[in-house]
Amino acid sequence: MIDLRSDTVTLPSAGMREVMAAAEVGDDVYGEDPTVNALESATAELLGKESGMFVTSGTQGNLCALLAHCGRGDEYIVGDHAHEYRYEGGGAAVLGSIQPQPVPIGDDGMIDLSAAEAVVKADDFHFARTRLLCLENTCDGKVLTGSQMRAAGELAARYGLGHHLDGARLFNAAVALGEPVAELVEPFDSVSVCLSKGLGAPVGSVLVGSAKLVAEARKWRKMLGGGLRQAGVLAAAGLYALEHNVERLAVDHTNAARLAEGLVGGVTIESCATNMVFVDVASAGGLGKQLEERGILTTWHGSKCRLVTHLDVSSDDVDRVVEGFSELLS
Ligand SMILES: *Cc1c(COP(=O)(O)O)cnc(C)c1O
């Protein structure tokens, strides 16, 4: 099967499984898992922050960050189709009594900063307390540049807000920009990165920030049931992913571009950025099923489809997908 539904479907490679099997482990709730500790400090160092914390998922990393930055009755400003707003079950509201304040995301994947500035609340007892500004990079595969992120950072600083980055696919952005990832995330107080998407690890994300913020987040992680024991077997996969699977994201980006170029005739490319191609197929009826019969898995919302390249999609696979679309649509 060629699975283009998401980059979360990547399977741990033989090399990754070897380091997982050989990982030195301990009880991480006691802080005694050397491999977890190594992953946390390696990620913090890579992102230029003081501390890191291994979490079970990107959702848990974002939620721990929100809970560490905000208290009851506070609010966070967030893109209106950001993962942290739309796709995390309303966790911040449910579990933290934290109110989201959505603002529009433009075609470039960046939130509208003047809209964000306009919704920062005055210090007045009628209002929720605006505490945090959140960005997402990449957003629908689109890359926010260093200057876009610095502009958001300046806004956050001007209003004394915390600044969090949902960097689930941050390494895709860094590879696409060709810039050191620590420089890119310099404006943020906290950053969450996923190991289990394009980086190919089976489980996990890392939240980084100041030692103080991460210590607070660690308390929330425990409360959320995210205190793990011999998690070094998972952290080993994360370390392997950071070492072997970051630079190669460029291959996924090339494959996505090739895919977008190849899809002609009845297919409108809505966007193609890093490892994601969004298409609209007017005569899509049944196409998903027909592609599946040819061994190609895709997800559809009406006539729209997102195609995601990753380390288990080769350039030959891309050719097969292009062929599949063109034969089925002709
Ligand atoms: C996938 C994703 C997350 C959440 O990660 P999970 O591990 O699925 O919980 C958060 N933010 C963005 C932008 C994502 O794509």
Side-chain angles (χ1 to χ4, degrees), residues 57-59 62 83 88 136 138 166 168-169 194 196-197 205:
S57 67
T59 300
N62 283 333
H83 202 280
E88 297 183 3
E136 182 175 309
T138 62
D166 177 355
R169 297 188 179 85
C194 280
S196 64
K197 293 190 169 169
S205 283

Side-chain angles (χ1 to χ4, degrees), residues 52 57 74 97 183 188 196 300:
S57 67
D74 291 349
S97 302
E183 252 170 60
F188 297 94
S196 64
W300 292 81

Side-chain angles (χ1 to χ4, degrees), residues 9 37 46 52 64-66 73 85 138 145 149 173 179 205 226 270 274 279:
V9 301
N37 293 340
L46 184 60
C64 286
L66 287 165
Y85 177 56
T138 62
T145 63
M149 292 191 283
E179 289 173 37
S205 283
E270 296 203 312
T274 60
V279 300

Side-chain angles (χ1 to χ4, degrees), residues 124-311:
D124 176 317
F125 62 63
H126 290 87
F127 301 138
R129 216 178 284 113
T130 309
R131 275 278 192 235
L132 183 67
L133 178 64
C134 297
L135 294 191
E136 182 175 309
N137 198 8
T138 62
C139 180
D140 293 337
K142 294 166 187 168
V143 175
L144 308 188
T145 63
S147 73
Q148 284 175 310
M149 292 191 283
R150 280 192 298 277
E154 281 159 21
L155 176 66
R158 211 169 330 127
Y159 289 93
L161 308 178
H163 198 23
H164 174 69
L165 179 67
D166 177 355
R169 297 188 179 85
L170 174 64
F171 292 105
N172 291 86
V175 166
L177 291 166
E179 289 173 37
V181 70
E183 252 170 60
L184 288 171
V185 302
E186 198 278 325
F188 297 94
D189 300 310
S190 55
V191 183
S192 163
V193 291
C194 280
L195 303 166
S196 64
K197 293 190 169 169
L199 299 190
V203 177
S205 283
V206 181
L207 174 69
V208 301
S210 68
K212 184 163 178 275
L213 188 104
V214 171
E216 178 66 14
R218 213 172 269 284
K219 192 186 84 163
W220 290 112
R221 184 188 71 172
K222 185 72 182 123
M223 207 182 296
L224 295 170
L228 300 176
R229 303 296 179 176
Q230 287 71 32
V233 288
L234 302 174
L239 281 165
Y240 183 94
L242 289 174
E243 192 178 327
H244 294 89
N245 293 344
V246 172
E247 292 309 319
R248 66 148 306 288
L249 291 170
V251 175
D252 301 341
H253 302 171
T254 304
N255 281 338
R258 261 166 60 82
L259 179 59
E261 261 166 51
L263 294 175
V264 287
V267 181
T268 306
I269 307 293
E270 296 203 312
S271 73
C272 170
T274 60
N275 67 331
M276 291 191 190
V277 183
F278 286 81
V279 300
D280 191 342
V281 183
S283 57
L287 186 58
K289 190 94 199 81
Q290 291 169 318
L291 287 166
E292 187 170 345
E293 282 159 10
R294 289 173 166 242
I296 300 165
L297 293 179
T298 51
T299 325
W300 292 81
H301 297 281
S303 65
K304 292 179 193 297
C305 175
R306 183 185 80 163
L307 304 163
V308 186
T309 57
H310 50 74
L311 57 75

Side-chain angles (χ1 to χ4, degrees), residues 19-37 39-40 54 56 202-203 221-222 226-237:
V19 299
M20 293 173 75
E24 228 188 294
V25 296
D27 189 330
D28 182 51
V29 175
Y30 286 105
E32 290 172 4
D33 188 301
T35 312
V36 171
N37 293 340
L39 173 66
E40 292 181 341
F54 183 59
T56 56
V203 177
R221 184 188 71 172
K222 185 72 182 123
L228 300 176
R229 303 296 179 176
Q230 287 71 32
V233 288
L234 302 174

